[in-house]
Amino acid sequence: MVKVVNKILIQNFSLNYSDGTESLHEITLQIPANAIMVFFGPAGGGKSSLLRAINRLNDLADVISISGEILLADENGNYLNIYDKKVDVIELRRRVGMVFARPIVLPLTIRGNLTYPLELKGEKNKDILMTSVERSLRQAALWDEVKDRLDTSATALSGGQQQRLCLARSLMLEPEVILLDEPTSGLDPISTSKVEATLQDLKQRYTIVLVPQSIQQAARMADYAAFFLQGELIEFAPENALFINPKDGRTKDYVEGRFG
Amino acid sequence: MPKEIEKSAHSSSSVSRNRIQRAGFLLLLGIALFTVIPIFLIIGVVVIRGFQTLTPEFIFGFPYNGMKSGGIWPAIVGTIYLVLGTALFSVPIGVAAAIYLSEYAPVNRVTQIIRIAIITLAGIPSVVYGLFGLGLFVITLKFGTSIIAGALTLAIMNLPVIISTSEEALRTVPHSFRVTSISLGATKWQTIHRIVLPQAQSGILTGVILGLERAAGETAPILFTVAAFYLPQLPRSPFDQTMALPYHLYVISTQVPGMPEGIQYGTALVLLILVLGMNLFATVIRSRARARRQW
């Protein structure tokens, strides 16, 4: 097996919405495998748009134009252009999972939420489903809290539990990449630290792209960080470099709290 | 004490303001109550004058003696057949159209035309549907005066109700459920089938029942397409004519001299019970679904 260094290559990627808001301009960026990549910057900078471009969830929005490429590596190091016409979007979304800012549990039981993505694939074997349920709940640090009530409604869980359930649900398919759009925005500090610890564990197996809820979270979590402003990638650096010693004046101003 | 004077002046003006508020409130309440009066009068009069007629012989019996004696069983059965036939045609088509409009339809000319057609369909007087059914189903398609012609006519009249209530029910399902489902690798149809439809189910069912309730009570669309003045037996095939409650009520109220009042009110009461019963059923479904809803 080849060791894949960069899981995702974004090359001169531009995107425009039909209403003219929040577009992306000529983004070029490498997302390393088995690490946490943080996209940060003020609202409207294009972080979420780029995130949603990686699993083509933008297909559901009113996008009028896309140019450039986003390439996703498989385990053999072969890159797939995800905007190629021949790409199976359903398969892509199984390889690239997503967790949203608001925990959106489906109106099903806890177990029903978790097995949903596997059932869509046609998996019916109860043992396989149950094994995956336990594995992903453990990975999301939720197993002990819900193991005795898997068949109760998922909406009865607390906000923090719901968000970890959403994370567990995205882990059911064992995706290669997990995209997280402010996954802790509605959570209390304890739940937030649980989710953060989970993500730190998960990066051994997965490539994680995180839009953090704050600069502090960005600094805590980043193995790599990219600063976005008004649809442009301003700066990109490993670990704490952007927070300690930014090169661009705009990054410095934002990190030091002069705007945003 | 200037302070006290000020205070009393203030309170006296607030008292008169309160009085005006109160009068206005009572006026509005009175007007609102006024709208309740007709429904109590209608139900009250029909129940008081009709309930003595409601015997098993009246409900399950055949009319005889020029319909001045006996029961209304053939009309009850006919109305049930018509409602079932209407449901058979209008529910699948109406729900499918609603799914298309809510989930698939792009914003373009064709969609606009479909929407305008549905709105227009809803505004057409029922007697025009009756004549249309006569022309298309009875004469051109040679179904004759029959249950199938009547049910098809009622179904077309019913479509706008079913489509618009079903579309509304589908639209109330949060968009975030759809995005989440798609993000988990679902196709659009899997999302609709597994998430959206089960959540919209009770709303759709409520709309269907309310539509069928209207179909059960209509006279004009069945007048030329299915309704029989008097039949000595129950219909045996979809191509038979049948008696039906609303038309029977019209006949015994205006076309038969010397009709006993009890039979007229009894028939009206049966029709009311049928229609209000369906209404009540729809309300129960709706409130149960609301209690169960988690979003």
Side-chain angles (χ1 to χ4, degrees):
Chain A
M1 209 167 80
V2 191
K3 178 82 181 134
V4 177
V5 180
N6 286 321
K7 184 69 185 170
I8 299 166
L9 302 178
I10 301 169
Q11 291 170 345
N12 299 321
F13 187 77
S14 296
L15 177 148
N16 288 295
Y17 291 109
S18 57
D19 61 357
T21 55
E22 224 201 19
S23 41
L24 293 167
H25 311 293
E26 297 280 320
I27 308 289
T28 296
L29 180 65
Q30 295 84 45
I31 298 179
N34 300 102
I36 297 179
M37 163 64 94
V38 162
F39 289 173
F40 76 106
K47 302 159 292 179
S48 291
S49 288
L50 187 56
L51 209 61
R52 283 160 186 253
I54 299 173
N55 68 348
R56 285 188 57 179
L57 214 54
N58 274 333
D59 290 10
L60 304 182
D62 276 339
V63 173
I64 43 170
S65 69
I66 284 174
S67 65
E69 290 180 331
I70 295 181
L71 305 173
L72 176 67
D74 65 16
E75 59 214 358
N76 301 318
N78 298 320
Y79 285 93
L80 170 80
N81 178 1
I82 66 164
Y83 280 95
D84 194 286
K85 280 201 176 67
K86 280 175 283 183
V87 165
D88 178 352
V89 183
I90 304 292
E91 191 49 41
L92 172 73
R93 292 188 187 129
R94 290 186 176 137
R95 292 176 62 189
V96 183
M98 178 142 198
V99 176
F100 299 90
R102 214 158 49 84
I104 302 160
V105 298
L106 295 170
L108 306 166
T109 60
I110 296 173
R111 190 198 304 273
N113 262 278
L114 291 165
T115 54
Y116 183 70
L118 284 183
E119 283 167 3
L120 294 174
K121 266 176 88 174
E123 183 59 68
K124 289 195 179 77
N125 185 315
K126 287 241 159 66
D127 293 337
I128 293 178
L129 289 173
M130 195 51 219
T131 312
S132 301
V133 165
E134 181 169 348
R135 172 188 54 79
S136 5
L137 282 175
R138 284 191 189 281
Q139 285 179 340
L142 189 61
W143 172 251
D144 291 330
E145 290 163 64
V146 301
K147 63 172 187 249
D148 298 323
R149 48 167 172 157
L150 289 176
D151 292 309
T152 61
S153 168
T155 44
L157 296 173
S158 74
Q161 290 172 326
Q162 287 191 15
Q163 192 56 292
R164 276 177 287 144
L165 179 65
C166 290
L167 182 58
R169 187 176 58 194
S170 72
L171 297 175
M172 286 294 284
L173 291 164
E174 300 193 73
E176 299 157 35
V177 180
I178 306 170
L179 311 171
L180 303 113
D181 193 352
E182 301 188 26
T184 57
S185 62
L187 304 189
D188 59 89
I190 295 168
S191 302
T192 299
S193 60
K194 276 188 186 165
V195 171
E196 288 183 0
T198 306
L199 294 179
Q200 292 292 1
D201 279 351
L202 291 174
K203 76 181 181 194
Q204 323 292 337
R205 303 149 134 267
Y206 307 98
T207 300
I208 293 175
V209 186
L210 170 72
V211 174
Q213 66 174 14
S214 64
I215 292 183
Q216 291 78 358
Q217 188 177 49
R220 277 199 301 274
M221 301 297 289
D223 293 319
Y224 298 89
F227 177 62
F228 288 83
L229 187 63
Q230 294 176 329
E232 286 183 52
L233 172 63
I234 305 297
E235 211 175 330
F236 162 59
E239 296 182 18
N240 278 334
L242 285 195
F243 308 100
I244 295 163
N245 188 20
K247 294 202 173 64
D248 194 290
R250 289 167 292 182
T251 317
K252 190 172 191 300
D253 287 349
Y254 182 70
V255 170
E256 290 175 1
R258 283 197 202 96
F259 74 95
Chain B
M1 288 289 200
K3 248 189 185 165
E4 262 183 32
I5 294 168
E6 207 183 289
K7 201 176 165 191
S8 76
H10 177 81
S11 61
S12 92
S13 91
S14 93
V15 164
S16 75
R17 221 181 310 131
N18 273 342
R19 231 173 251 156
I20 296 171
Q21 286 257 22
R22 187 137 187 87
F25 165 76
L26 285 174
L27 182 70
L28 291 176
L29 176 67
I31 292 169
L33 279 178
F34 193 72
T35 63
V36 182
I37 294 171
I39 188 72
F40 275 106
L41 279 180
I42 291 171
I43 294 177
V45 168
V46 170
V47 168
I48 289 166
R49 299 202 187 169
F51 86 100
Q52 279 170 323
T53 319
L54 288 197
T55 57
E57 299 83 64
F58 178 71
I59 292 171
F60 298 109
F62 279 72
Y64 59 89
N65 185 20
M67 295 191 278
K68 288 184 193 114
S69 310
I72 55 168
W73 184 238
I76 295 176
V77 171
T79 288
I80 291 171
Y81 283 171
L82 280 173
V83 167
L84 292 179
T86 305
L88 188 71
F89 294 121
S90 63
V91 173
I93 298 173
V95 173
I99 291 175
Y100 175 76
L101 286 172
S102 154
E103 309 296 321
Y104 289 98
V107 184
N108 65 19
R109 250 330 222 291
V110 178
T111 308
Q112 224 174 353
I113 290 170
I114 295 173
R115 288 193 186 283
I116 292 170
I118 292 168
I119 293 167
T120 314
L121 217 52
I124 290 175
S126 57
V127 67
V128 177
Y129 279 108
L131 291 168
F132 168 77
L134 173 70
L136 180 63
F137 302 123
V138 178
I139 298 169
T140 310
L141 295 178
K142 297 192 171 65
F143 291 158
T145 313
S146 61
I147 293 177
I148 191 163
L152 283 166
T153 309
L154 286 170
I156 293 174
M157 187 193 77
N158 210 1
L159 274 179
V161 182
I162 294 193
I163 293 173
S164 49
T165 50
S166 301
E167 194 188 345
E168 190 55 41
L170 291 165
R171 281 187 192 281
T172 52
V173 178
H175 184 65
S176 58
F177 287 173
R178 296 175 174 84
V179 178
T180 302
S181 173
I182 297 280
S183 81
L184 292 168
T187 61
K188 194 154 188 171
W189 175 246
Q190 284 176 319
T191 301
I192 294 167
H193 168 68
R194 286 167 170 265
I195 303 292
V196 181
L197 275 180
Q199 292 301 306
Q201 204 175 38
S202 57
I204 292 174
L205 198 57
T206 309
V208 165
I209 296 171
L210 293 178
L212 292 178
E213 172 195 321
R214 192 170 151 235
E218 276 286 354
T219 312
I222 59 172
L223 192 58
F224 319 113
T225 53
V226 51
F229 191 84
Y230 170 72
L231 278 178
Q233 79 273 332
L234 295 178
R236 275 167 301 195
S237 98
F239 291 97
D240 282 352
Q241 285 189 47
T242 181
M243 294 176 74
L245 278 174
Y247 180 64
H248 184 65
L249 185 58
Y250 163 73
V251 165
I252 61 175
S253 307
T254 61
Q255 308 295 301
V256 185
M259 199 69 196
E261 203 187 66
I263 290 190
Q264 295 169 343
Y265 279 103
T267 307
L269 184 55
V270 170
L271 184 59
L272 261 183
I273 290 171
L274 190 79
V275 170
L276 294 182
M278 287 170 80
N279 204 325
L280 188 71
F281 187 52
T283 311
V284 169
I285 289 177
R286 191 166 36 193
S287 59
R288 278 208 179 164
R290 278 211 187 124
R292 250 188 298 119
R293 181 177 294 176
Q294 296 151 344
W295 32 273

